[in-house]
Amino acid sequence: MKLHGTMEINAAGHLVIGGCDTVDLAQEFGTPLYIMDEELIRLTCREYYRSFTGKYGNSEVIYASKTFSTLAMCHMVKEEGLGLDVVSGGELYTALEAKFPPQHIYFHGNNKTPAELEFAIEAKVGRIVVDNYRELELLNALAAEHGRVVDVLVRVAPGVEAHTHEYIQTGQIDSKFGFTVSTGDALKAVQMVTEAANLEFQGLHCHIGSQIFELDSYRHTARVMMELGAEIREKTGAVVRELNLGGGFGIYYVAGDTPAKISDYADLVMGTVSDLAASYSLPMPKVIVEPGRSIAGPAGTTLYTIGSSKDIPGVRKYVAVDGGMADNPRPALYQSRYEAVLANRASEAPEEVVSITGKCCESGDMLIWDIDLPRVNSGDLLAVLCTGAYNYSMSSNYNRLPRPAVVLVKDGEADVIVERETYDDLVRNDLIPERLLRSRSLRVAGR
Ligand code: LLP
């Protein structure tokens, strides 16, 4: 098991994050609880900034906010000098509420609604990443209505298969995202953008998948994109001024995961693009990368209280926590694996193999299959590590479970950045139509 960021184990054998004892955090804020390590978030942002913008100038790192989008997160990302990728009106709204500078916001998505496009135009976001023909025409028309010329990137599907779980591959040809390069659609879309009166072609975007360890996938992608850039210049005269290579940088979840170094990623990407620009005699484009998981993932921990257990001798021992697939659907969706530690007995040696299940009413609600832990008791605290990415953002109220709070910890201070939902929150938007109440009273009256 690997401890992340500021994690340590104190003399009492408790897991400490950001100088805060997790046993105290559980007492003060309750469980389940998402804990985010501010220092690790900021360190990773800085490493990205240093490795790309600091070293190469003409590049930008933008945080993919779908990973973990909250006001405090947008605020920290802004402070660290990164841009922001949003994929919905809701993420855009969150960014603007956090006073994120709109010119550093990139708006993605394969089916942006007219209302979302208008919102983005009115907010003056820096780039809209055009995904398909319908959007291209719609955006041009809406931009004209607003008397604006909108800077766009054209999203393409470069046909690169990254070595990762198939559900989270988006770059291959059979993909819902972007204009396919090999069919000629990408070139045609660029041509259309250059001819559209209210769109300004700035460059290309692609994203080849997530949780990628093989840096070679990026080299290959950069090559496909720069070849396309050369073809675009030859056939349309347009210049790719910006090349956005998407996110996807993989992280350590469990033993065997071997993430690359961010600085190696930066050197490879910038070196490859610059070599190709030289060999095609193209101007060096501004290179953009949009990491999400690698910024938020390792900084997050979910703290649970252990409740019941069920031992089936010779088969399996289930240990249940007070959360589950509602706060972390990733094991059920992607067979994702996690490491965990007993937060109140973190220095004790493992004694038994158990499987961690949630409290939702279905058998698929498993968080970890087969993990070595000390003999657990109900009331113990379990910390599941590396849950900062796509956990809170994909959480649900399944089984009417209120979403956990999120606390941000640093130097012994813990601040709630998202309040725990209450039962009132669960019914806040529910309505019983008058009609139902009426028909009930009629039935009762006629009985
Ligand atoms: N840019 C684009 C256009 C993307 O679609 C994504 C992620 C990213 C950047 C950020 O990729 P990252 O650096 O986080 O790998 N829910 C799944 C992951 C889906 C990824 C979707 N796109 C999961 O829980 O693993």
Side-chain angles (χ1 to χ4, degrees), residues 117-419:
L117 288 173
E118 284 202 85
F119 183 19
I121 292 170
E122 280 163 12
K124 299 196 165 68
V125 303
R127 299 284 179 269
I128 296 183
V129 183
V130 174
D131 186 277
N132 52 71
Y133 291 117
R134 188 235 180 203
E135 183 184 320
L136 199 159
E137 278 159 17
L138 184 60
L139 182 61
N140 189 39
L142 290 172
E145 272 173 33
H146 285 77
R148 292 269 312 284
V149 174
V150 174
D151 287 318
V152 302
L153 301 183
V154 171
R155 172 151 188 177
V156 308
V160 176
E161 276 199 38
H163 289 225
T164 180
H165 194 289
E166 66 175 326
Y167 292 166
I168 47 182
Q169 284 180 353
T170 46
Q172 75 275 34
I173 288 182
D174 186 0
S175 161
K176 74 169 181 172
F177 295 104
F179 297 95
T180 308
V181 174
S182 59
T183 55
D185 284 294
L187 183 65
K188 185 170 154 202
V190 172
Q191 178 83 52
M192 286 171 70
V193 169
T194 59
E195 287 162 6
N198 293 78
L199 304 181
E200 178 74 27
F201 176 70
Q202 292 292 352
L204 300 172
H205 170 267
C206 67
H207 172 76
I208 57 165
S210 202
Q211 186 57 359
I212 295 170
F213 293 133
E214 321 221 346
L215 289 184
D216 232 30
S217 315
Y218 291 108
R219 193 198 311 275
H220 191 56
T221 306
R223 178 172 296 280
V224 174
M225 299 296 279
M226 291 300 282
E227 275 168 11
L228 177 63
E231 192 185 358
I232 286 170
R233 193 189 47 186
E234 185 193 319
K235 303 221 168 112
T236 73
V239 173
V240 174
R241 287 190 280 263
E242 295 176 12
L243 180 60
N244 182 329
L245 293 171
F249 191 80
I251 60 169
Y252 177 101
Y253 282 103
V254 291
D257 289 343
T258 50
K261 276 170 59 185
I262 290 172
S263 55
D264 288 346
Y265 168 45
D267 292 343
L268 176 131
V269 164
M270 298 307 293
T272 308
V273 174
S274 134
D275 289 351
L276 290 165
S279 65
Y280 288 117
S281 307
L282 292 169
M284 176 70 184
K286 172 177 172 181
V287 175
I288 298 145
V289 290
E290 23 187 49
R293 188 190 310 272
S294 46
I295 291 178
T301 303
T302 313
L303 194 61
Y304 301 98
T305 302
I306 290 173
S308 61
S309 57
K310 173 179 176 180
D311 197 358
I312 314 164
V315 178
R316 178 178 305 284
K317 180 169 175 184
Y318 288 94
V319 168
V321 294
D322 55 354
M325 66 192 299
D327 63 76
N328 184 0
R330 299 191 66 257
L333 267 177
Y334 315 117
Q335 295 80 50
S336 309
R337 295 169 61 214
Y338 289 92
E339 291 183 340
V341 56
L342 271 196
N344 56 326
R345 294 161 55 200
S347 32
E348 291 183 30
E351 268 183 274
E352 58 178 351
V353 178
V354 300
S355 291
I356 308 297
T357 184
K359 66 184 266 96
C360 291
C361 282
E362 66 175 83
S363 306
D365 177 24
M366 295 299 297
L367 287 179
I368 304 178
W369 294 97
D370 297 330
I371 176 172
D372 287 328
L373 287 180
R375 196 159 297 275
V376 299
N377 305 311
S378 57
D380 279 337
L381 296 171
L382 186 78
V384 177
L385 311 186
C386 241
T387 58
Y390 304 110
N391 280 230
Y392 169 73
S393 66
M394 291 175 73
S395 63
S396 76
N397 290 124
Y398 185 46
N399 285 187
R400 284 286 194 182
L401 297 181
R403 282 188 182 78
V406 186
V407 292
L408 186 70
V409 294
K410 183 163 191 288
D411 297 336
E413 275 184 49
D415 296 286
V416 174
I417 58 169
V418 182
E419 303 258 24

Side-chain angles (χ1 to χ4, degrees), residues 63-80:
Y63 167 66
S65 72
K66 68 187 71 108
T67 316
F68 176 72
S69 164
T70 69
L71 294 178
M73 187 66 186
C74 291
H75 182 82
M76 288 188 285
V77 169
K78 172 181 68 177
E79 281 188 340
E80 295 303 331

Side-chain angles (χ1 to χ4, degrees), residues 60 62-63 74 77-78 82-86 91-108 117-129 148 150-151 242 286:
E60 187 173 7
I62 65 179
Y63 167 66
C74 291
V77 169
K78 172 181 68 177
L82 308 192
L84 202 72
D85 139 5
V86 301
E91 286 185 358
L92 175 56
Y93 184 80
T94 307
L96 296 174
E97 284 290 294
K99 306 273 181 292
F100 206 92
Q103 68 275 21
H104 290 290
I105 298 179
Y106 290 65
F107 191 19
H108 296 282
L117 288 173
E118 284 202 85
F119 183 19
I121 292 170
E122 280 163 12
K124 299 196 165 68
V125 303
R127 299 284 179 269
I128 296 183
V129 183
R148 292 269 312 284
V150 174
D151 287 318
E242 295 176 12
K286 172 177 172 181

